[in-house]
Amino acid sequence: MKRTSRDIRTANRYEVLRQIIAESPTSRQELAAATGLSLATVATLVGELLELRLITEVGFEDSAGGRPRGLVAVNASGGALIGVDIAETYVHVELFDLALNVLARADEDMRPGESRPEQVVGHVAAAVGSVVAQAGVEAARVLGVGVSVPGQVDRDSGVAEYAPNWDWHDVPLLDLLAEHIAYPLYLDNPLRACAVAELWFGAARGRGDAVVVNLGTGVGAGLALGGGLHRGVSNSAGEWGHTTLVLDGRPCHCGNHGCVETYVGAPGIMRNLSELDPDSALLHPRDQTATIDALARAVAGQDPVALKVVQDTARYLGAGIADLINLLNPEVVVLSSWVAARLGEPLLDEVRRPAHRWWRAGRRRRWRPRRAAAGR
């Protein structure tokens, strides 16, 4: 689609705001240098943000031989933002001020069988109501609610087109949420949401090309190429978890066999454990979170079964990541989401070896586990 002058202006304003959030306090001159925009354009956009009370003047800094530079910073009290992370086993919600300080959190666990749209919407509505009440913010101060939901998402229509782990097809999720939540709502896939978070504020900040690997119940990769988020023609780029890792391997919810997700997602890790030791006390057959938590504790205690499970999982994960590196040649690969957070450095250490072995180029890259914004 051809971008209009209004689209360009909106994008520039967001870029200036992003820089102010990330670098507060900062000057107009520094913003111009960071964004590549002219000083006159930056001055105009800063003026608009000041009028909207999203930022505020905070004084001056000396400049070498010139007039003191006026400094601006985000106006933390200018509004509130809510992030909603919908996963297969939980709903996690955080409320932020405009400086992205977390003011309140709420969690809703979703038990097996609680995946009907109305059930998920009920959990989201309850958690959103909880964080607003905890923070004591007025409804008018809530500028918007960003919602990430697994699967293929149409951002414009607010429809969850396909979520294989729930067997959702064309669910009008934003319309359903709007019946319970009165704030502006925005929908996206967690792969894209996490990639944006890492690009703006996390381990991929300042990188033109990055891959953010999400390890949870489902598995995927958020892609940043050429300095921007890569969505693909239908906002479904990054479904790396449903690429084939083992020919004719384990069956997957998507209908194929041998997908990456079936070996390195939480259910896949549980299967790795059950195949190694069917009677393991670490295995909680109906509880992914409990199993991964038990596995993490056992790894910390040097339990040999747990260590072998992590090694086997890392071997599969390393092979899959090596494919991403060979295909996309990113500057950085970030491991994100709740499974990566729980297994942490032991998993990271094990992944490095097979990933480097299968990576043809053989040059060093940086690998960092990262907890995504508004996620676990």
Side-chain angles (χ1 to χ4, degrees):
M1 294 177 60
K2 185 177 180 180
R3 297 180 75 196
T4 66
S5 58
R6 181 177 179 179
D7 293 332
I8 295 171
R9 186 179 188 84
T10 298
N12 289 341
R13 185 161 61 177
Y14 272 113
E15 179 62 15
V16 169
L17 179 59
R18 180 181 76 84
Q19 289 292 335
I20 295 171
I21 292 173
E23 300 290 348
S24 290
T26 187
S27 68
R28 292 162 179 79
Q29 290 81 359
E30 290 170 329
L31 290 170
T35 62
L37 300 171
S38 71
L39 184 57
T41 298
V42 167
T44 299
L45 297 174
V46 165
E48 293 174 1
L49 294 171
L50 286 167
E51 288 181 9
L52 292 169
R53 296 182 60 236
L54 297 177
I55 64 174
T56 184
E57 300 273 10
V58 293
F60 296 88
E61 69 172 357
D62 292 332
S63 60
R67 295 172 57 187
R69 294 177 174 180
L71 298 176
V72 293
V74 66
N75 179 16
S77 63
L81 308 168
I82 297 175
V84 178
D85 177 21
I86 302 175
E88 285 84 352
T89 58
Y90 65 82
V91 170
H92 179 67
V93 176
E94 294 183 354
L95 185 146
F96 308 82
D97 64 18
L98 291 193
L100 298 187
N101 299 306
V102 178
L103 303 183
R105 293 186 176 94
D107 293 282
E108 293 273 324
D109 291 327
M110 291 199 298
R111 294 181 292 274
E114 291 187 345
S115 60
R116 294 197 308 274
E118 61 271 20
Q119 292 174 310
V120 174
V121 167
H123 284 299
V124 173
V128 168
S130 175
V131 295
V132 172
Q134 289 177 50
V137 300
E138 298 176 2
R141 288 188 57 216
V142 179
L143 303 181
V145 180
V147 181
S148 74
V149 62
Q152 295 179 12
V153 172
D154 186 324
R155 290 197 308 152
D156 296 328
S157 67
V159 172
E161 295 179 322
Y162 179 48
N165 288 332
W166 290 336
D167 196 30
W168 281 14
H169 298 269
D170 297 321
V171 173
L173 186 59
L174 276 199
D175 287 345
L176 295 174
L177 288 169
E179 295 176 6
H180 303 273
I181 299 171
Y183 314 119
L185 292 159
Y186 305 89
L187 186 68
D188 210 339
N189 171 282
L191 301 180
R192 265 67 78 190
C194 289
V196 169
E198 295 294 347
L199 280 172
W200 279 34
F201 310 111
R205 185 176 170 197
R207 308 285 176 173
D209 296 270
V211 172
V212 180
V213 173
N214 284 265
L215 298 179
T217 301
V219 172
L223 309 176
L225 304 176
L229 189 65
H230 179 67
R231 294 183 175 276
V233 70
S234 61
N235 195 41
S236 60
E239 292 296 336
W240 164 73
H242 296 290
T243 60
T244 302
L245 181 63
V246 178
L247 194 64
D248 298 322
R250 296 173 180 174
C252 183
H253 287 290
C254 72
N256 292 327
H257 287 78
C259 291
V260 171
E261 182 173 293
T262 64
Y263 293 89
V264 303
I269 296 173
M270 292 173 68
R271 183 162 176 176
N272 297 341
L273 173 59
S274 65
E275 289 179 354
L276 182 64
D277 185 357
D279 300 319
S280 173
L282 304 175
L283 186 62
H284 300 262
R286 295 182 60 82
D287 193 331
Q288 298 176 27
T289 303
T291 300
I292 299 300
D293 284 345
L295 192 62
R297 290 192 297 269
V299 167
Q302 297 296 299
D303 177 85
V305 171
L307 290 172
K308 183 64 166 62
V309 170
V310 170
Q311 289 169 358
D312 290 345
T313 300
R315 186 166 58 90
Y316 290 121
L317 181 57
I321 288 176
D323 285 344
L324 288 171
I325 295 172
N326 284 327
L327 182 64
L328 301 171
N329 191 27
E331 296 176 70
V332 62
V333 175
V334 185
L335 300 188
S336 183
S337 199
W338 68 274
V339 171
R342 281 167 168 77
L343 296 180
E345 289 294 336
L347 176 66
L348 190 65
D349 290 340
E350 292 295 334
V351 166
R352 284 190 178 100
R353 285 190 287 272
H356 285 173
R357 185 169 67 250
W358 282 308
W359 177 26
R360 291 192 304 253
R363 290 177 295 176
R364 290 180 62 85
R365 291 291 190 233
R366 297 196 305 167
W367 307 79
R368 302 179 184 177
R370 186 76 178 183
R371 178 178 174 178
R376 295 193 296 182

